[in-house]
């Protein structure tokens, strides 16, 4: 099976009707169109913000997740540069390193703080890859952004919790649902005499003094 393009012309004459036609093999073109369609559906369904820019940094394409994350419609973004997302969080050197990396043909990957159209800041895990043309020259760039704002917020909360526990001055231990110790703080080590390495993986029964009966536990 192959795809063809047919151009036909009906001709009437000399008491009969016939057709002149040209048949062209377009199988390769159809394969490319199919691949492009699959790629487009994959990018639109990826759930991550994706946009393309030309070598000058002008946005040429933005997917639905980009619109949802940034608040800019594709129509508003196309023709602009990613500067519309600048939050002011990063200095000039940060962006110079980014551009220097991708213009040299390498992939750039880092976390970046951007700003939505509505002025809200969000954190993205961003990868920008150069795309070369048939001649080996860079034609455009593909940027993939994963919104990690919630993850960064949880990490910050966890770090605050850890800092509070470490400086609480009281012995703190955390176990899983089976009673296996997963974490102890410095005060626990100091009071109990067990190092974190000795305690983790054990149960609090290592602290039993024999003072309490079964009913107590």
């Amino acid at each position: 099976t192959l795809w063809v393009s047919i151009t036909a012309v009906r001709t009437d004459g000399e008491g009969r009707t016939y057709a002149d036609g040209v048949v062209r093999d377009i199988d390769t073109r159809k394969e490319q169109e199919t691949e492009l369609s699959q790629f487009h559906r994959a990018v639109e369904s990826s759930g991550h913000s994706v946009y393309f820019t030309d070598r000058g940094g002008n946005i040429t394409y933005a997917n639905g997740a980009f619109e949802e994350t940034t608040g800019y419609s594709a129509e508003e973004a196309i023709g602009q540069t990613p500067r519309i997302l600048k939050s002011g969080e990063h200095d000039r050197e940060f962006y110079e390193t980014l551009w220097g990396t991708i213009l040299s043909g390498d992939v750039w990957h880092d976390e970046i703080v951007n700003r939505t159209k509505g002025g809200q800041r969000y954190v993205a895990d961003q990868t920008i890859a150069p795309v070369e043309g048939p001649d080996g020259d860079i034609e455009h760039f593909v940027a993939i952004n994963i919104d990690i704002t919630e993850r960064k917020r949880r990490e910050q909360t966890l770090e605050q919790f850890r800092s509070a526990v470490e400086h609480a001055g009281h012995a703190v231990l955390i176990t899983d649902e089976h009673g296996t110790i997963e974490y102890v703080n410095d005060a626990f080590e100091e009071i109990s005499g067990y190092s974190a390495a000795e305690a983790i993986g054990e149960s609090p029964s290592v602290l039993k003094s024999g003072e309490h009966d079964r009913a107590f536990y």
Side-chain angles (χ1 to χ4, degrees):
T1 302
L2 75 158
W3 285 91
V4 296
S5 169
I6 301 176
T7 303
V9 179
R10 170 178 166 167
T11 303
D12 295 311
E14 301 179 356
R16 62 194 183 110
T17 299
Y18 59 95
D20 293 321
V22 177
V23 179
R24 288 178 297 159
D25 181 351
I26 59 169
D27 212 43
T28 300
R29 192 190 81 190
K30 292 300 290 186
E31 286 179 1
Q32 292 171 341
E33 289 176 355
T34 300
E35 290 176 0
L36 181 60
S37 177
Q38 290 172 337
F39 169 75
H40 184 267
R41 290 198 303 271
V43 169
E44 286 295 333
S45 304
S46 67
H48 301 315
S49 172
V50 179
Y51 63 89
F52 302 164
T53 73
D54 60 22
R55 281 184 60 91
N58 301 298
I59 297 173
T60 58
Y61 166 83
N63 70 348
F66 173 93
E67 296 179 307
E68 185 176 345
T69 300
T70 67
Y72 289 96
S73 68
E75 289 76 13
E76 291 173 314
I78 291 173
Q80 301 289 333
T81 71
R83 292 191 192 94
I84 60 175
L85 305 176
K86 283 182 71 171
S87 63
E89 182 73 18
H90 307 288
D91 57 19
R92 185 185 188 90
E93 184 180 355
F94 177 87
Y95 294 104
E96 287 178 348
T97 300
L98 186 161
W99 276 103
T101 300
I102 60 178
L103 285 172
S104 67
D106 294 325
V107 175
W108 184 86
H109 176 237
D110 203 346
E111 292 180 2
I112 188 170
V113 180
N114 283 335
R115 187 188 299 274
T116 68
K117 182 181 178 181
Q120 291 182 313
R121 289 190 175 194
Y122 66 95
V123 186
D125 183 307
Q126 179 169 257
T127 301
I128 303 178
V131 179
E132 297 180 350
D135 57 1
D137 290 335
I138 296 173
E139 289 188 340
H140 58 274
F141 303 101
V142 178
I144 301 174
N145 290 259
I146 303 173
D147 189 344
I148 58 171
T149 306
E150 273 306 311
R151 191 188 84 190
K152 296 298 288 186
R153 188 175 292 123
R154 288 195 299 271
E155 289 175 355
Q156 185 178 16
T157 300
L158 180 61
E159 186 56 38
Q160 289 171 340
F161 165 76
R162 183 183 295 276
S163 178
V165 167
E166 287 293 343
H167 297 90
H170 304 298
V172 177
L173 63 88
I174 298 173
T175 75
D176 63 16
E177 69 272 24
H178 303 297
T180 302
I181 297 173
E182 296 183 322
Y183 167 84
V184 298
N185 69 347
D186 291 342
F188 174 93
E189 295 181 298
E190 184 178 342
I191 292 170
S192 72
Y194 288 97
S195 68
E198 291 172 317
I200 291 172
E202 300 291 338
S203 77
S205 62
V206 297
L207 304 175
K208 286 181 72 171
S209 63
E211 182 72 22
H212 307 286
D213 59 18
R214 188 180 187 87
F216 176 88
Y217 291 106

